Amino acid sequence: MARRKKLYEGKAKILYEGPEPGTLVQYFKDDATAYNAEKKGVIDGKGVLNNRLSEYFMKGLGQIGVPTHLIKRLNMREQLIRSVEIIPLEVVVRNTAAGSLSKRLGIAEGTALPRPIIEFCYKDDALGDPLVSEEHIIAFGWAAQQDLDDMVALALRVNDFMSGIMMAVGIRLIDFKIEIGRVWEGDFQRLIVADEISPDSCRLWDIETGRKLDKDVFRRDLGDLADAYTEVARRLGVLPSNVTHTVKPHLIN
Ligand code: TMP
């Protein structure tokens, strides 16, 4: 079989040409990076877990009417996705203070925020993905005002969905990042959720113990990252049934 054409290789994923026009194959690597790739590692099985988890979240979003790039998972490490024009912004939604917000504003990690806070970072590794305002985004033409309104609406729907499914398995969704892409349908453009949604791009804390179940385990050397991601996958029931100790979703009183 002819080898597929590699179109892009990022820190955690590779994009290959897809089988049909307008499609791509997204491959999940085991590589982990943090602090703009200053810290690097290879975590056995991370790509497999993120492929399954991202599929699970994107499929669920699709089922409630939030459009995403996912067409279908192909195998352990790959999924077929729609090709989009990525808006060069990381959209961060925060429910609880942590990470760069805590550092920047001196708010203790774990402080519940009065409402979800949305931030935009300009996607540029050389600049370290700086925080930007809506004024910057409009002035520099990264997105139009209508796009921004649509991005905020999408991000809040993703937040409600993700908070709910995490809460049901005893996990607090602290914050997360999504990327959004444009697709063209005739003369009309539509914004859809792209990239991935996984413990690489979320902060997830166990509700009872506060245990971190996300990439902070790697960033802050808190233990075994694959164990943490496996725990998330197990609780959500997305691991194959031969894995023992599956905690089913349950209501939290
Ligand atoms: P931060 O506190 O470092 O700004 O991150 C906020 C959330 O966004 C956290 O869940 C991690 C995620 N994130 C990424 O996935 N990639 C990024 O490049 C950044 C800046 C944040």
Side-chain angles (χ1 to χ4, degrees), residues 11 90-94 98-102 104 119 121 128-129 174-179 199-203 215-216 219:
K11 286 172 253 180
E90 306 204 319
V91 184
V92 173
V93 182
R94 301 180 183 274
S100 70
L101 177 103
S102 292
R104 200 181 328 122
E119 295 173 349
C121 297
D129 298 338
I174 302 301
D175 57 30
F176 65 93
K177 180 264 310 189
I178 53 171
E179 296 188 22
D200 268 9
S201 54
C202 300
R203 281 199 175 88
K215 207 165 98 176
D216 275 349
R219 291 187 192 98

